[in-house]
Amino acid sequence: MALSGLVSIHDVMPETRDRVSELLARLADVPPAAVTLLVVPGRDWSGDDLDWLRDLSTRGYPLAGHGWRHRCDPPRTLHHRLHSLFISRDVAEHLSLDGAGIAALIQDCHRWFVEHGLTPSPLYVPPAWALGRIEPQALAALPFRYFETLGGVYDARERRFIRLPLVGFEADTAWRAWSLNLFNRANLAMALMAGRSLRVSIHPQDLYYKLGGQVEAWVRRLDRTLDYPALA
């Protein structure tokens, strides 16, 4: 059975520029439009860094919003504490905010692209896929259309959720490598059985972690690569 998929590279920021460039070189045969780059605006972007992003955009790589700082305030709720312990560590910044704060952060993220002469993708991905508590009507009023979570992609304009399996490789410990291998196999089976596209999520350091040898192989499994707006 043919397998379609969406490829994304997370945590694009000045600190990860070299490793993102390495990943893009490894995936040079994948159409740029099918490799979405998740950009963290609230970092220390130099003029040279911004020129690098503009060049990537010109070459056809979609630039999506990915939070603001990619760092969260200390957890205030049990849910956030558990999420930090088992999934997100200290990056799920949405979980420190209420609905108004989340909306303001997403607005700031979009505005940053425009102010720096960059064309943002219609996709927004909260750090660690943790969107937090924000109402659908509030999402519909924001400048991004699609919001990706662990379970799939929410289309705020159509008010519908598109369930999509996910694989990832951010395994810096033996426990994470074991659990991610299990998670990835289950999600591949789900994609094949349900005929759904598979999201392949890559972090800049993944090549140097315990599942680094699998990254390119998973991308090569895809018979067809899509971009996120194609979901509509």
Side-chain angles (χ1 to χ4, degrees), residues 155-203:
D155 182 342
R157 183 180 303 171
E158 298 294 331
R159 303 284 183 97
R160 68 189 180 104
F161 186 75
I162 307 161
R163 191 166 296 282
L164 294 170
L166 169 73
V167 297
F169 315 95
E170 199 176 19
D172 58 344
T173 66
W175 162 253
R176 284 191 170 223
W178 180 86
S179 57
L180 269 178
N181 264 322
L182 188 64
F183 178 85
N184 290 349
R185 288 197 296 269
N187 276 271
L188 174 62
M190 186 188 310
L192 292 172
M193 286 189 296
R196 296 184 183 276
S197 295
L198 181 71
R199 291 174 291 155
V200 180
S201 164
I202 308 170
H203 288 77

Side-chain angles (χ1 to χ4, degrees), residues 89-109:
R89 295 179 176 167
D90 62 350
V91 306
E93 58 188 317
H94 279 221
L95 299 185
S96 300
L97 305 170
D98 60 12
I102 293 168
L105 184 152
I106 295 172
Q107 288 277 16
D108 288 344
C109 178

